[in-house]
Amino acid sequence: MPPESSSEIKEPDEAGISSPVDHSAKHTRPVVILDSPTSLVKSLYTRFLSLWTPSFTYAILGGQLLSFSITCSSIATSKLVERHWTLPSTQTFFGYLSIFIVYTPYTIHRYGHRGWTKLVMRDGWKYFLLAFGDAQGNYLAVKAYSYTDLLSAMLLAAWTIPVCLFTSWIYMKTKYHWTQVLGVLISMGGLCLLVVSDLVVGKDGHAESRGTGDALMLVAATIFGVSNATEEFFVRHSPLYEVVGQLGMWATLVTGIQAFVLERDTVALAPWDSGTIGLLLIYAIAMFTFFSLAPLLFRTASSSYLNMSLLTSDFYGLIFGLFFFHYSPYWLYFPAFAVVMSGLVIYFWHATPEEQGKSDVRIPSPKLPPLSPSLVFLGQVQRDLYECDE
């Protein structure tokens, strides 16, 4: 991976050259005035309005779209289980395959076959570890729901957030303001309200082996926290299509082998009717959307912010239930959603999305003529490491 050497984001022009854009200026919020109640209210309102920059708006809306995608994949999974179709490795294989068949060919198109081969030879092992961890996290999470109840799984899944915060600090030396810690705690408080709501309406389910299931979910949450922070580090230094394409390629290989070893005897016995295929298609589309948009949110905000945003997925599950499963909503769901969203806003009350990490992205330009040495020396353009002529 290219070293993190500057606070600039190299944004591509139409010719495929990456030119530097300076985002190093310090972003500041309006001061909160404590002279009088009127001044306090006005200054708080001014501060609130200052939050709504394009990057913050995208972070809010993008996070909720990703949360909605996770809800769709969860519903598809639950409906597959109802149809006695429980093949976690095979199911996740289709999700990874969807991004592999789109992003890997495009990466080859941009780098050329020889350039893509250099990429695999040089950095393939890094992407393999990322893909292996992500695939195992998904597998363990699905298995955990077979042993523990929904409430325990939801609470333990929130462990992803502190793990992601810590891993991001290790990778990128991210500095957290106390308001960001407060935002995390408030969002997790909203999660607790959601769990209480599920408990009241009897949505917790039956725990076949709570200890085993809780242990599996805790391990899965830890893996997700590390893998999400790792992917954020990668997308801050490499093109998004490279990272997603490599993740899809290696994860397809891993889950394919895992499905063959663990599920080859049960695949033939599982129902493969039109309903099952339709649910698998919905799952693949939801995961394609998630894997495609998550790196954008990693670069715009952070991987920690993404995991906080996913805490609202249970609320969107309720919305689905109202229309398709005739759920009776419990009133606590709605304030719980508001609390989680408040935590997302408070997370950037002082800090800005731009301050969550430095990006130094290199865009490939394999078919361009040689660059002028003076331009290279002045740093006005930057070629990709995997550039080659075919």
Side-chain angles (χ1 to χ4, degrees):
M1 286 293 142
E4 183 177 353
S5 58
S6 71
S7 58
E8 297 175 343
I9 299 177
K10 308 299 188 297
E11 297 183 348
D13 57 22
E14 294 180 357
I17 302 176
S18 55
S19 53
V21 178
D22 188 8
H23 289 284
S24 60
K26 181 72 174 179
H27 297 268
T28 58
R29 303 293 193 197
V31 177
V32 176
I33 302 174
L34 304 176
D35 294 344
S36 65
T38 302
S39 299
L40 175 62
V41 172
K42 289 183 178 180
S43 62
L44 288 175
Y45 180 67
T46 303
R47 170 73 73 93
F48 177 75
L49 292 180
S50 73
L51 300 180
W52 296 93
T53 61
S55 59
F56 176 75
T57 303
Y58 172 79
I60 289 288
L61 298 179
Q64 294 314 295
L65 178 58
L66 290 169
S67 181
F68 183 79
S69 299
I70 287 294
T71 302
C72 292
S73 66
S74 299
I75 291 176
T77 300
S78 64
K79 299 303 290 184
L80 285 170
V81 172
E82 290 179 6
R83 301 172 69 89
H84 305 289
W85 202 96
T86 53
L87 302 169
S89 294
T90 304
Q91 180 178 332
T92 55
F93 170 82
F94 290 110
Y96 290 119
L97 180 64
S98 66
I99 59 174
F100 165 64
I101 62 178
V102 172
Y103 288 101
T104 296
Y106 183 73
T107 306
I108 296 175
H109 167 71
R110 292 301 302 266
Y111 290 2
H113 288 89
R114 288 165 54 191
W116 181 80
T117 302
K118 289 181 180 180
L119 162 66
V120 174
M121 296 298 293
R122 174 178 177 140
D123 292 327
W125 67 274
K126 302 176 184 178
Y127 288 120
F128 172 79
L129 292 178
L130 171 65
F132 183 83
D134 196 79
Q136 299 315 305
N138 279 307
Y139 178 82
L140 292 175
V142 173
K143 292 293 290 183
Y145 280 99
S146 302
Y147 293 100
T148 191
D149 58 70
L150 179 64
L151 303 186
S152 294
M154 288 175 60
L155 286 173
L156 291 172
W159 173 245
T160 302
I161 299 174
V163 172
C164 194
L165 289 168
F166 178 72
T167 309
S168 297
W169 175 78
I170 293 178
Y171 282 158
M172 294 165 282
K173 304 302 179 184
T174 306
K175 296 180 180 180
Y176 301 107
H177 192 262
W178 67 267
T179 55
Q180 292 180 281
V181 178
L182 177 62
V184 170
L185 295 177
I186 291 176
S187 293
M188 295 183 71
L191 171 65
C192 292
L193 292 179
L194 288 171
V195 170
V196 171
S197 302
D198 287 339
L199 183 62
V200 171
V201 300
K203 194 180 172 183
D204 53 324
H206 173 70
E208 179 180 335
S209 178
R210 187 184 300 274
T212 301
D214 289 353
L216 290 174
M217 183 56 74
L218 194 62
V219 174
T222 303
I223 293 175
F224 280 138
V226 175
S227 64
N228 287 345
T230 303
E231 187 175 355
E232 178 188 349
F233 179 79
F234 285 171
V235 299
R236 288 189 182 278
H237 295 82
S238 299
L240 301 180
Y241 50 81
E242 174 192 312
V243 178
V244 179
Q246 285 291 292
L247 172 63
M249 183 184 73
W250 293 112
T252 298
L253 179 64
V254 170
T255 54
I257 295 175
Q258 194 164 300
F260 177 78
V261 173
L262 301 177
E263 301 170 356
R264 65 179 183 274
D265 295 330
T266 55
V267 166
L269 302 177
W272 288 90
D273 53 24
S274 59
T276 299
I277 295 175
L279 289 171
L280 286 173
L281 181 61
I282 293 174
Y283 175 83
I285 293 174
M287 296 311 296
F288 178 86
T289 302
F290 182 86
F291 285 123
S292 298
L293 296 182
L296 291 172
L297 192 62
F298 290 163
R299 190 183 290 175
T300 305
S302 68
S303 53
S304 302
Y305 194 81
L306 167 64
N307 285 289
M308 291 173 59
S309 300
L310 298 183
L311 296 179
T312 60
S313 60
D314 198 52
F315 177 81
Y316 294 120
L318 169 67
I319 302 301
F320 269 100
L322 290 176
F323 290 97
F324 298 104
F325 307 109
H326 306 292
Y327 288 166
S328 298
Y330 188 64
W331 66 270
L332 201 56
Y333 276 104
F334 301 97
F337 177 80
V339 171
V340 174
M341 294 301 296
S342 298
L344 294 175
V345 173
I346 292 174
Y347 187 82
F348 286 135
W349 181 255
H350 180 273
T352 65
E354 292 82 3
E355 295 171 341
Q356 301 311 295
K358 298 178 181 179
S359 296
D360 185 16
V361 182
R362 297 189 175 187
I363 308 297
S365 51
K367 295 182 168 60
L368 294 179
L371 296 176
S372 168
S374 61
L375 292 179
V376 177
F377 177 77
L378 292 173
Q380 295 180 357
V381 290
Q382 182 176 2
R383 288 297 187 89
D384 190 81
L385 289 178
Y386 310 114
E387 177 185 19
C388 66
D389 296 322
E390 293 190 291

